[in-house]
Amino acid sequence: MDTITLKKKLSTYQSSKGYLKNVSDEVLYEILVAWENWTGPSAEFYRSLGYTHKKMAGLIGKAKRMKREGHFGSSEFKQVHVEANDANASGSTPCTGIEIIWNEGKLIRFQDVDRLIEFLKKVA
């Protein structure tokens, strides 16, 4: 995410006295990702957001702590193995959806990819 968008998001959490209060977990995660991907000096990062390091240090520290505790989930790639059953070879109807065997052997069926993606976002 670019710093201009992040700066606008942060401005919604700024109090009348200039303090950043009640910043959402989503924005904290975006700050942390931007901070980790920043390649220049840290002072430039703070300046691009329009805040001093004193105001941002607490937010970045809180975001790091939340990441360690697992609040943001894992952003690492997870490999998924999909087995394809050749239903057409046995003469049955073609597959019209997606089936996933979930925890403890539970079978979940999705009509289309959009519903699968929506489900995966919710459980992530």
Side-chain angles (χ1 to χ4, degrees):
M1 169 176 291
D2 67 290
T3 56
I4 296 169
T5 308
L6 194 53
K7 182 178 181 177
K8 288 179 183 178
K9 285 184 178 184
L10 279 172
S11 69
T12 62
Y13 297 99
Q14 190 169 348
S15 70
S16 59
K17 294 183 179 182
Y19 296 107
L20 291 169
K21 299 251 182 185
N22 302 321
V23 178
S24 72
D25 293 349
E26 178 182 306
V27 175
L28 286 173
Y29 179 71
E30 291 173 4
I31 291 170
L32 183 61
V33 169
W35 170 251
E36 289 174 344
N37 292 328
W38 188 261
T39 56
S42 58
E44 249 181 65
F45 177 73
Y46 304 133
R47 196 172 18 258
S48 70
L49 294 176
Y51 298 99
T52 63
H53 96 280
K54 289 181 181 181
K55 290 184 181 180
M56 294 303 297
L59 293 178
I60 293 172
K62 183 177 179 182
K64 285 181 178 180
R65 184 174 59 253
M66 290 176 74
K67 183 178 180 181
R68 274 193 309 270
E69 294 171 356
H71 289 281
F72 300 136
S74 177
S75 60
E76 297 176 10
F77 176 78
K78 293 182 181 177
Q79 184 176 2
V80 177
H81 295 283
V82 178
E83 293 181 20
N85 294 332
D86 193 3
N88 289 334
S90 63
S92 63
T93 60
C95 180
T96 58
I98 301 166
E99 294 181 351
I100 294 179
I101 298 176
W102 201 248
N103 295 345
E104 300 173 10
K106 296 177 185 175
L107 179 68
I108 303 174
R109 292 187 176 117
F110 300 95
Q111 294 175 347
D112 54 29
V113 175
D114 294 330
R115 293 186 188 216
L116 170 64
I117 292 172
E118 183 180 319
F119 171 79
L120 292 174
K121 285 181 181 177
K122 288 181 181 179
V123 297

